[in-house]
Amino acid sequence: MKTIDDAAKQRPAGEQSISAVALAKRWGLKTATLGKWRRLGKGPRGWYPLSATFILYPLAEVERFEAERQRSTEGHVIESRMRVEAAG
């Protein structure tokens, strides 16, 4: 399991990132769902905690995950939520 200190050491300087709260809003999910995905090893990789309650995801990994899901039939929920967000 990652520790906060380990994550801080591994985070590249200047890397663009998105918080778990912003990502949940972007995808129309609850932050608890992202937390469950982290525990199960699902979702975007490379996340790191800045504190016990503040998690960051590398933006490049989020975009890679979104692109992967768009090509996959398993990603229909995220795809549809992303389309609704883009239209609104």
Side-chain angles (χ1 to χ4, degrees), residues 7-80:
K9 291 175 191 172
Q10 295 173 3
R11 181 177 177 222
E15 176 184 66
Q16 288 188 321
S17 57
I18 184 170
S19 71
V21 172
L23 183 57
K25 185 175 180 179
R26 177 176 174 151
W27 287 349
L29 301 173
K30 294 182 179 182
T31 55
T33 300
L34 292 175
K36 182 177 181 178
W37 287 3
R38 287 192 300 273
R39 288 189 301 278
L40 296 174
K42 297 181 177 183
R45 292 178 254 168
W47 59 271
Y48 44 93
L50 290 185
S51 73
T53 59
F54 193 79
I55 308 297
L56 290 177
Y57 289 88
L59 189 56
E61 278 298 312
V62 169
E63 290 171 347
R64 180 203 58 78
F65 183 80
E66 289 172 343
E68 185 178 286
R69 289 295 159 252
Q70 287 178 344
R71 291 187 299 266
S72 168
T73 58
E74 295 175 18
H76 68 280
V77 172
I78 290 175
E79 282 182 301
S80 63

